[in-house]
Amino acid sequence: MNEKVSALMDNELPAEQWPEVLDALKREPLLQQQWHDWHVSRDALQGQAGCSADFMRRFSARLAAEPVVIAPQRKQAFGAKRWLVPMTAAASVAFVGLAVWQFNFVPSSSTQPQQLAAVVTPAAQHKQVDAAEVRAYLAAHRDGVANPMGADHLARVSFEVGEQR
């Protein structure tokens, strides 16, 4: 057993044998004394200051005499942290609901030209519009990237009051 204790002290003992040697060290006072003596000898050879033989007993007694401090329970912060998760969940549900509602119930901007003509108010029918100027503007901007009035969507525009095609 002395060889195994020496190998453990030099960190050369295989890990699977550690429990056996440590159990023997716990049970046998002679092995404990050898363990202590070998460490004192090694420390003296390396020039390190040694501890007294009574050090561990005194240290354990002082540690046992230390008062146990039980930390008070942390107060909950009122407001942001307590409501953060429920509010983000509610915001997510509201966003998804709004997106579904817009997709299903709000008419898209790509309405047909016949529907656009039906929306004209009587006040707008009396305005004078220069048709050539509007046609030139639409022709210049027809091929825009995000232009809803692009070539595919603009079939026919009439500037005549009362005429529908």
Side-chain angles (χ1 to χ4, degrees), residues 6 10-11 17 20 34 45 66-67 74-76 78 86 89 101 118 121 138 146 156 160-161:
S6 177
D10 295 335
N11 200 20
Q17 294 180 8
E20 172 194 348
Q34 284 180 340
L45 289 173
E66 289 268 334
R74 195 177 117 203
K75 292 183 180 179
Q76 290 283 337
F78 181 75
W101 178 76
T121 62
L138 291 175
R156 202 172 248 210
E160 305 294 325
V161 176

Side-chain angles (χ1 to χ4, degrees), residues 67-147:
V68 177
V69 178
I70 299 176
Q73 189 175 10
R74 195 177 117 203
K75 292 183 180 179
Q76 290 283 337
F78 181 75
K81 285 188 178 181
R82 192 170 81 181
W83 293 101
L84 185 62
V85 172
M87 291 303 284
T88 54
S92 300
V93 169
F95 175 75
V96 169
L98 181 65
V100 168
W101 178 76
Q102 282 184 336
F103 182 75
N104 290 331
F105 300 112
V106 175
S108 64
S109 62
S110 62
T111 55
Q112 297 299 325
Q114 293 82 13
Q115 293 173 339
L116 290 175
V119 177
V120 176
T121 62
Q125 290 179 356
H126 300 292
K127 275 190 167 179
Q128 293 294 327
V129 177
D130 184 12
E133 189 177 316
V134 173
R135 284 193 185 102
Y137 177 82
L138 291 175
H141 294 88
R142 181 174 288 167
D143 294 327
V145 175
N147 186 3

